[in-house]
Amino acid sequence: TQGDLAGARMLQEQVLEVRRRVLGDEHPDTIVSMGNLAETLRDQGDLGGARTIQERVFDAFRRILGDEHPYTLTSMNNLALTLQRQGDLATACALQERSLEARRRVLGDEHLDTLFSINNLAATLWGQGDLAGARQLFEQALDARRRVLGNEHTDTLTSMNNLAIAFRALGDIPAAQSLEDELARLRAS
């Protein structure tokens, strides 16, 4: 988070090597380390490298922990984000829909991971040109985040911003302006 992605990658590679040696390739902690490394690769712009590792992580968690374990669902969501950045919106959308459905069932509608999935799916729908579908999901995410996190939480502010952009793109300027004004007040306080 400090921006030293090269330093983070070096440490993650060291941790992964030790965990493989001590715990083995199939231990959940080893697989989590693989996923962490993939996230850094994605942040560094190595989408192909990130995707390769994320596919392995997702397959391993499905095999070891099952299709609906929170680690499996997180790895599915992370893979979908990489696919989204690669421009494979159809595959990303399908994975995000599966992840969201499972997270709702397993974790509930207002769990933070579920809300993260709602927001990610909305962004992918937006990228596919489904602005109305994206707006509906952005509204769900904002309503739930207000209830769960409060108005001033960073995730709530992000949802407000996303919904304001959606309203503006759909031509609902008064709704967009209202959210933008509220967002400005909250950021100023």
Side-chain angles (χ1 to χ4, degrees), residues 2-3 9 36 54-55 66 77 127 140 167 179:
Q2 290 180 328
R9 179 178 177 173
N36 291 341
Q54 287 169 330
E55 288 171 342
N77 195 63
Q140 286 178 26
F167 279 143
L179 273 177

Side-chain angles (χ1 to χ4, degrees), residues 102-161:
R103 280 181 164 172
R104 281 186 162 145
R105 191 173 45 257
V106 173
L107 303 172
D109 288 335
E110 294 191 344
H111 189 280
L112 297 180
D113 289 346
T114 304
L115 301 178
F116 188 69
S117 286
I118 291 170
N119 199 65
N120 289 344
L121 177 56
T124 300
L125 290 176
W126 184 275
Q128 290 179 311
D130 182 0
L131 304 185
R135 189 213 80 230
Q136 181 182 13
L137 290 175
F138 283 140
E139 285 177 333
Q140 286 178 26
L142 176 58
D143 290 345
R145 283 177 168 170
R146 283 184 198 252
R147 281 190 305 278
V148 174
L149 301 171
N151 278 333
E152 296 180 5
H153 191 278
T154 306
D155 291 346
T156 305
L157 298 175
T158 297
S159 287
M160 290 174 76
N161 187 64

Side-chain angles (χ1 to χ4, degrees), residues 34-58 74-93 95-96 116 120 124:
M34 289 173 60
N36 291 341
L37 176 58
E39 292 297 301
T40 299
L41 291 174
R42 185 176 67 205
D43 291 345
Q44 287 182 313
D46 182 0
L47 300 178
R51 179 179 179 170
T52 298
I53 293 172
Q54 287 169 330
E55 288 171 342
R56 289 183 13 216
V57 167
F58 178 48
T74 296
S75 67
M76 183 189 312
N77 195 63
N78 290 341
L79 174 59
L81 289 174
T82 298
L83 292 168
Q84 179 191 48
R85 288 190 187 169
Q86 286 183 312
D88 187 354
L89 299 179
T91 306
C93 187
L95 283 175
Q96 288 168 332
F116 188 69
N120 289 344
T124 300

Side-chain angles (χ1 to χ4, degrees), residues 4-80:
D4 184 2
L5 297 176
R9 179 178 177 173
M10 182 183 69
L11 291 172
Q12 289 168 335
E13 288 171 342
Q14 290 173 7
V15 169
L16 178 57
E17 189 275 320
V18 170
R19 283 187 166 169
R20 279 186 165 142
R21 191 177 65 247
V22 174
L23 302 173
D25 287 336
E26 299 282 299
H27 191 282
D29 290 348
T30 303
I31 301 166
V32 166
S33 291
M34 289 173 60
N36 291 341
L37 176 58
E39 292 297 301
T40 299
L41 291 174
R42 185 176 67 205
D43 291 345
Q44 287 182 313
D46 182 0
L47 300 178
R51 179 179 179 170
T52 298
I53 293 172
Q54 287 169 330
E55 288 171 342
R56 289 183 13 216
V57 167
F58 178 48
D59 289 340
F61 277 142
R62 287 178 68 197
R63 191 176 60 257
I64 295 165
L65 301 175
D67 287 338
E68 294 193 344
H69 189 280
Y71 285 3
T72 305
L73 299 176
T74 296
S75 67
M76 183 189 312
N77 195 63
N78 290 341
L79 174 59

